[in-house]
Amino acid sequence: MTYLSDFDTSNKREATVVSSERITPDTVPEVRSIILRVDQADFSYHEGQHVGVIVPGPHEFGHEAHFRLYTIANSPKTTEGGSVEIELCVRRCFYIDEFSGEEHPGIASNYLCNLKAGDSIIFTGPYGEAFKLPTDPETNLLMIGSGTGIAPFRAFMQHIYEQQPDWKGQVVLFYGARTGMETLYRNDIKDDLGNYYDQKTFKAFEGLSQRPWMNTDDGLQNVLKDKAEDIWELVQDPKTHIYLAGLETTLSNFDEVMQQAAGSKARWRWMTEEMKEQDRWSELIYS
């Protein structure tokens, strides 16, 4: 397991907020698309990487700065002036103190969501090679995520359909949300996924929770169950790469469904180990 303390934060960079746009309706939890501009010629990144946002302090418990990772939600983009743009998908979070029962704002998410155009932030990175997009256009991509875990998949799709139009492999997305209004990048405010539905290689399956008042992935689990046979067939193709992003339940739900599709827990474990050895299995799971 990787901890935030494992990341090197010594190489700090500055970015300027270009825009901050809410991409969920007012009736559901706030998620914002935040575009940052980096004016340093030596900075670059690729799809699937993340950056570390540093929130200046002092904060509770005496630490001077707060560090939080965010996966980049766009394919690399350079402006006419030579600047690099990064897009982050940020949910404004709150947590309940288990002792007092009081609600407290998440430090990094509220810091980012409160930023305005023209504000500056300090960040580090990019980090991560876990979510690297294969170069072979015949590769099948099976992407499974929930909540803001869709961020790296959005970057993948931008790259494939805007920069690599000869992609021949299947691009299949399974995405879970509590309600239709919480579906990111496919709602009345932001409908980026709608750009790709006319692509022959692209399929997307949305699973909505049957218990939207609870923080669960049951919607994702249900849609995975419905398509379990198709997923199992795709998994057995040696050209298929699997990517999982989101809460720990995203991984556990996928494992549970695939164990049944494979016929046994042992067979599925063998299959996953084989895919990991062949670098065809990637995951970005957070608690």
Side-chain angles (χ1 to χ4, degrees):
M1 178 178 292
T2 302
Y3 298 92
L4 291 178
S5 58
D6 296 331
F7 290 86
D8 180 7
T9 61
S10 59
N11 186 20
K12 296 180 176 62
R13 298 177 182 270
E14 184 175 356
T16 302
V17 178
V18 176
S19 63
S20 178
E21 174 190 13
R22 180 166 181 153
I23 58 173
T24 52
D26 292 339
T27 54
V28 298
E30 179 181 2
V31 179
R32 302 191 75 84
S33 167
I34 301 171
I35 298 178
L36 306 172
R37 186 186 73 241
V38 184
D39 296 319
Q40 294 175 282
D42 65 335
F43 177 74
S44 64
Y45 67 94
H46 61 70
E47 297 85 0
Q49 289 190 302
H50 35 271
V51 294
V53 173
I54 296 178
V55 185
H59 299 286
E60 275 188 283
F61 310 115
H63 60 297
E64 287 298 318
H66 183 78
F67 178 72
R68 175 76 161 80
L69 289 176
Y70 288 89
T71 304
I72 299 171
N74 67 307
S75 184
K77 180 180 179 181
T78 303
T79 67
E80 292 182 0
S83 301
V84 176
E85 288 190 349
I86 299 173
E87 184 169 349
L88 304 182
C89 180
V90 182
R91 181 184 299 273
R92 188 186 290 273
C93 297
F94 297 86
Y95 69 93
I96 305 297
D97 188 296
E98 61 182 22
F99 297 106
S100 68
E102 295 180 356
E103 182 180 73
H104 298 276
I107 295 174
S109 68
N110 280 267
Y111 168 74
L112 288 171
C113 287
N114 289 339
L115 293 171
K116 307 296 182 185
D119 289 344
S120 297
I121 72 164
I122 301 299
F123 75 97
T124 60
Y127 305 104
E129 295 294 332
F131 264 34
K132 198 167 184 179
L133 188 63
T135 56
D136 182 0
E138 306 240 344
T139 302
N140 301 317
L141 305 182
L142 176 58
M143 303 174 292
I144 301 153
S146 58
T148 54
I150 197 174
F153 303 147
R154 177 178 181 262
F156 277 13
M157 289 181 284
Q158 281 186 352
H159 175 87
I160 290 170
Y161 295 119
E162 296 173 18
Q163 301 179 38
Q164 204 167 346
D166 62 338
W167 196 272
K168 298 178 177 61
Q170 297 183 61
V171 181
V172 184
L173 170 66
F174 286 89
Y175 176 69
R178 287 192 293 183
T179 68
M181 290 185 291
E182 289 192 35
T183 303
L184 304 183
Y185 301 111
R186 204 183 80 78
N187 57 42
D188 293 340
I189 300 175
K190 198 81 167 177
D191 188 24
D192 288 21
L193 296 189
N195 297 329
Y196 312 120
Y197 279 101
D198 60 347
Q199 299 286 342
K200 292 182 180 179
T201 56
F202 179 64
K203 294 181 181 178
F205 302 94
E206 176 186 289
L208 302 181
S209 177
Q210 295 178 347
R211 296 172 292 176
W213 60 89
M214 298 180 65
N215 188 23
T216 67
D217 267 353
D218 64 312
L220 177 61
Q221 184 179 40
N222 290 336
V223 74
L224 290 173
K225 286 180 178 178
D226 290 343
K227 297 293 180 181
E229 291 185 10
D230 295 335
I231 298 172
W232 176 240
E233 182 177 348
L234 189 62
V235 165
Q236 294 179 87
D237 187 331
K239 292 184 177 180
T240 297
H241 285 234
I242 293 180
Y243 300 87
L244 296 117
L247 298 171
E248 292 176 345
T249 52
T250 303
L251 176 58
S252 61
N253 287 338
F254 181 63
D255 273 340
E256 181 180 334
V257 171
M258 286 296 95
Q259 287 170 17
Q260 295 181 3
S264 71
K265 185 175 181 179
R267 188 182 183 192
W268 175 238
R269 186 186 298 115
W270 175 84
M271 176 70 77
T272 57
E273 290 302 320
E274 181 180 55
M275 296 187 74
K276 289 175 182 178
E277 289 177 3
Q278 297 170 354
D279 292 325
R280 296 192 296 118
W281 178 287
S282 304
E283 59 186 65
L284 284 174
I285 301 298
Y286 49 89
S287 58

